[in-house]
Amino acid sequence: MERYDPQAIERKWQETWEREQAFVVPNPADPQAADDRPRTYVLEMLPYPSGELHMGHVFNYTLGDVVSHVKRRQGVIVLRPMGYDAFGLPAENAAIREGGHPREISERNIDSIRRQMHRMGWSIDWTREVSTSDPTYYRWTQWLFLRFYEAGLAYRKEAPVKWCPNDQTVLANEQVIDGRCERCGAEVVAKNLEQWFFRITEYADRLLDEMALLESWPERVLTMQRNWIGRSTGAEVVFRVEGTDVELPVFTTRPDTLFGATFFVLAPEHQLVGDLIRSTDTERAVIDYVGHAGATTAVERADTEREKTGVFTGRYARNPVNDELLPIWVSDYVLMEYGTGAIMGVPGHDARDFEFATRFGLEIRQVVEPADGSPVELPYVERTTGARSMSSGQFSGLETPEAIDAIVEWLESEGLGKATVGYRLRDWLLSRQRYWGAPIPVVHCEVCGLVPVPDDQLPVLLPEVDDYKPKGRSPLAAAEEWVRTTCPECGGPARRETDTMDTFVDSSWYFLRYADPRNDQLPFDREIVDFWLPVQQYIGGVEHAILHLLYARFFTKVMNDLGLLGFREPFLRLFTQGMITRNGAKMSKSKGNVVSPDAMVERYGADAMRLYILYMGPAEADKEWHDSGIEGIARLLDRLWRLGLEVADAGRADGDLGLELVRTAHRTIAKVTDDLERRFQFHTPIAALFELVNDIYRAKEESGSEAAVRFATETAVSLIQPYAPHLAEELWQRLGHERLWQEPWPEPDPAMLEQASFDLVVQVNGKLRDRVTVAVGLSDEALVEHAKALPRVASQVDGKEIRRAIVVPGKLVNFVV
RNA sequence: GCCGGGGUGGCGGAACGGGAGACGCGGGGGACUUAAAAUCCUCUGUCCUUCGGGGCGUGCGGGUUCGACUCCCGCCCCCGGCACCA
């Protein structure tokens, strides 16, 4: 018999799909007049083109491929594009290391990864391919930046920013993990620099509230975004420094504890510290402390185990609710970046304030108690209806939520404060001092100041430079001729902005460009984008839960506000796949635990690789790679191959189909379809296919009808097609058919799902005792009689009284004795 | 500390309130073969057994239910996010 040769079969079908444009979906000439055939947009996160495709890619794109194939065969038009997130540091660092231009390195890597993707047989509309580093793409990234700028959503300001000393560039807050650069792990340092920002904070509420528009996102991703945005509601309360008219506002989420304030603290960086201590006895000590705090790294300072430090300023602030004087301290446990950089110290009801007060012997006062009046140890931080105010003047006795409302209302009426909302989210720092990114399309004119480059002068092309090495300023600055330009407004001398954009800007709108990838008038036509989007199913790694997904949502909302598109959320359904690990760790070159998909494909074929990566376990869970696991899949494919050839050889088989094997095939159709569609579960359908193939072999052995074997085999081939499209096409053809990818997805015959008989489970006191095959449709009484007659049941019941018999028709009988 | 997810054989995992461990890997035994590979058959949670079967088993302790891996309450442990965020 002809051996199963995946290499030959896969090559043949990949060429066929290419030749027949199998997965190309053209845009309608007039989106508004387009037919109402159902359509969908299945998207996976675009790859960064390093030279090698890795297991994460294989997993990600195979998931999307299975979804796409099934949808297509159900009559849905599926848009499934692919592109490359090609700007960024790895290509640039390679250019520095090995010489050459980052563009050449990127292009080489793209060619390589494209070849590998084709080799996997993924059903992609390759006519829509885009690369973010291509001028025809970044022209529109720049165009969008200018729209943001006009809308006041892109701005430049000097601010304390995070600087990576290794990559020699500033970073967005989102790119700093535990005080370290997300990319290289170097400890970041704070610098005061003038930089470009996107005003994402203006969208903080909408990024939270419009989560309600999402159809299906993993809870953990929503949680991460909520945590990241970090909205907390509270009040701003104004304290006045005694003996001056200096006002110090504080932000608090617990205005109900104002009566418990016994001290006041400023962050060391607070700009009023200097004024307050000028020419006082404490000036020297405070300056020393501030200097000392400034030398502490962010990582050290974030250590909550560290003992609290601080220094008294000699000044007092007046508590607006009771006119008490509170000593003003300076301490680095108060952060300048959050709230107002000043807090009221309420040691009775805040763990940090408690620690500080204990350390420096400050008064600790209780103003909240459990609602039942029971005694409690301080600090008591409960803030629900389980707590109530005490010793708080007119607010005493109110439960905490009401006390907060009442006191905020009172503060507002007295002009002492107001309700406010605090966020953890910071504006998105988008400028980078690196070469391989989209230039920010702005010029600096001595006369006119910042001037945007006019649309008709886009793209601002990257200049050619010799040295990509970062030196603390953008390598673009070395291209002196490029930098020197004329002001678009006054025609006078001007200098180009030399920073480039964060690559996350590029990937914040690529999914829109796919809809209209060759448009040279606009980034995309609104009607076409509204025709295809929002994305119905987005699939990618959970590592993008905050960065990319938050930025893309922000971009979409802004573009919606600017009238560029007609929806507010880009991705209605999100699926985050788990990580593939080996020896308990993420695969990485430095750990030397990488399994190359290429090698697996060479040895077992793309079909086996595709099936195995989905068979490993639930798609959302992290999974440990075992080399031996793929052997079982290889056996399955080989068994199916031999079965297919035998059936094809036997030719047309007529005869009776009413056999158990045919029922099994129909049950498998129902199971596979339900798992894929309703449960979004990809590994259990493969188990069902194993069972079906095993059953076919068994039936053949027991000389089942040839017609039934043929039907079951064709069903298995048809069902495995989304997973193993090459083998499935080949067998489908040999079985005398045409193109399986155009064949409707099978539907189970309801009559075939009906059973003539079933195994009745018999329990005594809820424990399984026996089972018996009985006809379907018997009365409850008849089932009980059948069950009672069983010897193993009788021996269990033996002498005891049957108090009750629970009958679940078609399933079981349970005797309670 | 707050928020989210999870804990089932040697391993990956299945079980959608009703048969715990489907399916696969690994392992034992056997057939075919001069031999090996491939292929095929068979056993494989655990303890007891007179070989009929029986006891125990889904992190721990309670509860709801005729019946709980599944639902509820309280713990323990692991993973992820946030965190001196006031």
Side-chain angles (χ1 to χ4, degrees):
Chain A
M1 185 188 278
E2 185 185 343
R3 291 258 318 263
Y4 168 46
D5 178 0
Q7 308 305 332
I9 292 170
E10 289 171 7
R11 199 174 315 114
K12 168 182 166 184
W13 288 101
Q14 283 158 19
E15 283 165 7
T16 307
W17 295 327
E18 187 70 36
R19 194 171 56 243
E20 300 184 4
Q21 299 273 288
F23 310 115
V24 173
V25 283
N27 280 339
D30 177 2
Q32 301 213 315
D35 67 51
D36 52 1
R37 234 180 98 189
R39 58 179 178 267
T40 192
Y41 187 174
V42 176
L43 179 68
E44 301 104 66
M45 293 179 185
L46 88 176
Y48 178 82
S50 62
E52 270 282 304
L53 199 68
H54 58 70
M55 284 297 173
H57 292 134
V58 172
F59 190 16
N60 195 175
Y61 303 136
T62 304
L63 275 172
D65 210 44
V66 171
V67 172
S68 303
H69 273 304
V70 173
K71 286 251 179 278
R72 273 190 212 102
R73 289 181 59 194
Q74 287 171 332
V76 179
I77 303 172
V78 178
L79 176 67
R80 194 156 93 99
M82 184 56 71
Y84 313 98
D85 187 18
F87 271 140
L89 283 186
E92 190 176 334
N93 288 339
I96 294 166
R97 212 167 42 240
E98 300 152 18
H101 196 289
R103 183 184 304 118
E104 289 158 20
I105 292 167
S106 289
E107 280 168 7
R108 200 167 64 224
N109 285 344
I110 287 172
D111 287 344
S112 155
I113 205 170
R114 181 194 291 120
R115 199 162 44 241
Q116 294 174 78
M117 291 204 277
H118 277 92
R119 187 67 195 78
M120 291 304 302
W122 290 320
S123 57
I124 288 162
D125 179 352
W126 288 103
T127 66
R128 294 173 182 269
E129 193 181 70
V130 303
S131 168
T132 59
S133 64
D134 195 298
T136 61
Y137 182 91
Y138 73 71
R139 169 185 183 182
W140 301 113
T141 307
Q142 293 173 334
W143 188 92
L144 286 167
F145 172 89
L146 293 176
R147 301 293 86 78
F148 278 52
Y149 180 75
E150 288 161 5
L153 293 168
Y155 66 93
R156 203 175 147 83
K157 75 162 185 200
E158 187 177 305
V161 298
K162 312 274 170 52
W163 172 266
C164 173
N166 180 47
D167 289 333
Q168 294 272 304
T169 181
V170 296
L171 299 171
N173 267 18
E174 287 78 6
Q175 290 162 326
V176 180
I177 312 287
D178 295 331
R180 292 173 184 280
C181 172
E182 174 214 34
R183 278 200 35 75
C184 69
E187 200 171 299
V188 303
V189 299
K191 273 197 175 188
N192 259 315
L193 288 174
E194 195 172 306
Q195 294 293 327
W196 285 94
F197 294 87
F198 281 136
R199 215 178 284 285
I200 191 171
T201 51
E202 193 154 295
Y203 283 74
D205 281 326
R206 282 173 56 188
L207 287 166
L208 282 172
D209 299 341
E210 289 175 5
M211 284 180 182
L213 301 176
L214 302 173
E215 278 174 22
S216 168
W217 275 45
E219 200 49 52
R220 60 175 168 161
V221 174
L222 296 175
T223 300
M224 283 188 223
Q225 294 212 353
R226 273 189 215 106
N227 285 344
W228 187 260
I229 296 167
R231 172 161 66 186
S232 50
T233 57
E236 195 169 283
V237 184
V238 180
F239 287 64
R240 190 180 301 274
V241 180
E242 188 63 6
T244 74
D245 48 15
V246 174
E247 289 189 339
L248 290 174
V250 302
F251 173 73
T252 176
T253 58
R254 293 296 304 277
D256 62 309
T257 63
L258 266 162
F259 287 88
T262 58
F263 59 97
F264 194 98
V265 191
L266 292 172
E269 301 85 355
H270 200 286
Q271 58 279 34
L272 292 179
V273 169
D275 295 346
L276 290 180
I277 55 164
R278 189 156 299 123
S279 338
T280 66
D281 299 348
T282 52
E283 184 170 8
R284 191 71 258 151
V286 173
I287 287 172
D288 281 354
Y289 180 78
V290 169
H292 183 74
T296 312
T297 69
V299 176
E300 284 169 358
R301 195 162 156 181
D303 178 10
T304 52
E305 303 297 299
R306 205 166 52 108
E307 195 177 22
K308 298 256 179 302
T309 57
V311 60
F312 177 48
T313 61
R315 296 279 192 174
Y316 292 85
R318 199 166 281 280
N319 186 340
V321 299
N322 56 11
D323 285 333
E324 283 182 25
L325 286 177
L326 310 178
I328 301 177
W329 288 65
V330 173
S331 172
D332 66 4
Y333 85 93
V334 175
L335 308 174
M336 198 57 224
E337 309 90 84
Y338 187 78
T340 62
I343 61 149
M344 59 175 190
V346 185
H349 306 287
D350 180 278
R352 297 151 302 180
D353 295 347
F354 182 86
E355 206 186 311
F356 190 78
T358 308
R359 170 86 164 73
F360 293 104
L362 300 163
E363 184 196 346
I364 296 166
R365 189 186 298 170
Q366 184 179 4
V367 292
V368 183
E369 63 183 352
D372 60 12
S374 57
V376 73
E377 200 177 313
L378 296 182
Y380 177 60
V381 297
E382 183 62 52
R383 56 168 74 188
T384 63
T385 52
R388 68 176 183 217
S389 290
M390 58 182 281
S391 316
S392 299
Q394 62 193 98
F395 306 102
S396 298
L398 291 178
E399 285 185 348
T400 296
E402 287 89 70
I404 290 174
D405 290 345
I407 204 157
V408 169
E409 201 178 305
W410 179 81
L411 286 167
E412 284 182 341
S413 69
E414 298 289 312
L416 298 170
K418 58 175 193 288
T420 54
V421 181
Y423 299 92
R424 206 193 78 94
L425 183 69
R426 294 282 96 94
D427 274 343
W428 171 9
L429 200 175
L430 72 111
S431 43
R432 296 288 180 277
Q433 291 72 52
R434 297 294 301 241
Y435 177 78
W436 193 228
I440 295 175
V442 166
V443 302
H444 301 264
C445 170
E446 288 164 29
V447 181
C448 313
L450 282 179
V451 180
V453 173
D455 288 357
D456 60 12
Q457 290 176 28
L458 298 181
V460 175
L461 289 171
L462 272 170
E464 296 304 316
V465 303
D466 300 326
D467 186 2
Y468 307 103
K469 208 172 278 165
K471 301 174 189 71
R473 61 167 197 167
S474 171
L476 272 57
E480 188 50 40
E481 268 182 47
W482 177 86
V483 171
R484 234 180 298 125
T485 185
T486 52
C487 170
E489 250 166 48
C490 68
R495 298 182 66 78
R496 289 193 186 276
E497 169 65 56
T498 58
D499 283 357
T500 53
M501 292 189 230
D502 182 0
T503 57
F504 279 102
V505 180
D506 309 328
S507 57
S508 291
W509 73 282
Y510 76 101
F511 47 92
L512 303 165
R513 183 68 179 175
Y514 282 147
D516 195 11
R518 307 292 169 247
N519 194 328
D520 59 3
Q521 302 300 309
L522 284 169
F524 49 81
D525 181 277
R526 173 170 174 166
E527 281 190 3
I528 294 174
V529 155
D530 284 352
F531 176 79
W532 287 115
L533 278 92
V535 173
Q536 286 295 317
Q537 183 65 62
Y538 200 26
I539 307 173
V542 73
E543 65 274 16
H544 293 109
I546 295 174
L547 288 150
H548 164 59
L549 289 167
L550 193 69
Y551 293 153
R553 292 181 63 218
F554 164 62
F555 257 57
T556 302
K557 289 174 198 308
V558 172
M559 286 191 248
N560 179 244
D561 286 353
L562 296 177
L564 296 173
L565 45 75
F567 46 91
R568 292 188 285 175
E569 284 290 343
F571 316 120
L572 292 184
R573 303 171 65 83
L574 171 70
F575 185 83
T576 49
Q577 66 193 61
M579 219 170 34
I580 312 280
T581 60
R582 189 152 178 250
N583 307 325
K586 187 177 173 166
M587 288 187 191
S588 76
K589 274 192 199 140
S590 58
K591 292 192 195 88
N593 62 347
V594 176
V595 182
S596 141
D598 251 13
M600 296 311 264
V601 169
E602 223 161 276
R603 180 148 175 218
Y604 298 98
D607 282 338
M609 176 75 250
R610 297 166 52 118
L611 272 160
Y612 180 54
I613 200 131
L614 295 187
Y615 188 56
M616 286 170 64
E620 68 278 7
D622 289 347
K623 283 166 290 289
E624 174 76 8
W625 176 272
H626 295 283
D627 287 339
S628 59
I630 198 169
E631 299 284 351
I633 292 292
R635 273 195 277 272
L636 171 70
L637 293 179
D638 206 48
R639 278 160 70 82
L640 184 57
W641 170 257
R642 295 189 327 251
L643 195 56
L645 292 201
E646 273 177 47
V647 170
D649 242 20
R652 280 260 141 244
D654 299 316
D656 185 18
L657 274 178
L659 292 170
E660 194 47 41
L661 181 60
V662 175
R663 294 181 188 283
T664 305
H666 279 281
R667 274 199 305 276
T668 309
I669 296 171
K671 159 95 178 144
V672 169
T673 308
D674 184 60
D675 281 357
L676 289 178
E677 283 217 294
R678 185 177 62 83
R679 306 182 69 195
F680 217 72
Q681 195 161 288
F682 296 83
H683 58 147
T684 47
I686 302 174
L689 286 166
F690 266 107
E691 287 187 77
L692 178 58
V693 170
N694 289 345
D695 282 347
I696 297 172
Y697 270 89
R698 211 165 295 135
K700 230 156 52 79
E701 203 60 33
E702 291 158 10
S703 65
S705 110
E706 284 189 17
V709 168
R710 184 175 185 104
F711 175 78
T713 303
E714 290 191 348
T715 299
V717 168
S718 178
L719 290 176
I720 211 170
Q721 180 265 351
Y723 292 92
H726 313 87
L727 172 69
E729 285 301 336
E730 182 66 22
L731 287 177
W732 193 248
Q733 192 178 50
R734 288 177 186 239
L735 286 163
H737 308 292
E738 289 295 320
R739 302 298 190 227
L740 183 51
W741 76 81
Q742 293 167 344
E743 205 65 32
W745 186 250
E747 283 184 35
D749 177 352
M752 285 293 174
L753 298 176
E754 303 277 325
Q755 302 267 44
S757 62
F758 69 98
D759 279 356
L760 177 72
V761 169
V762 184
Q763 300 177 330
V764 177
N765 285 340
K767 266 189 197 301
L768 172 76
R769 287 307 165 185
D770 209 345
R771 61 200 101 186
V772 58
T773 306
V774 297
V776 164
L778 295 180
S779 68
D780 287 5
E781 292 74 25
L783 291 177
V784 168
E785 286 316 309
H786 268 105
K788 255 192 222 168
L790 296 167
R792 284 163 62 188
V793 174
S795 73
Q796 284 293 327
V797 171
D798 184 35
K800 297 171 200 124
E801 180 200 358
I802 295 178
R803 295 228 309 261
R804 241 178 114 180
I806 312 284
V807 180
V808 181
K811 199 82 204 174
L812 64 72
V813 171
N814 183 17
F815 294 109
V816 186
V817 302

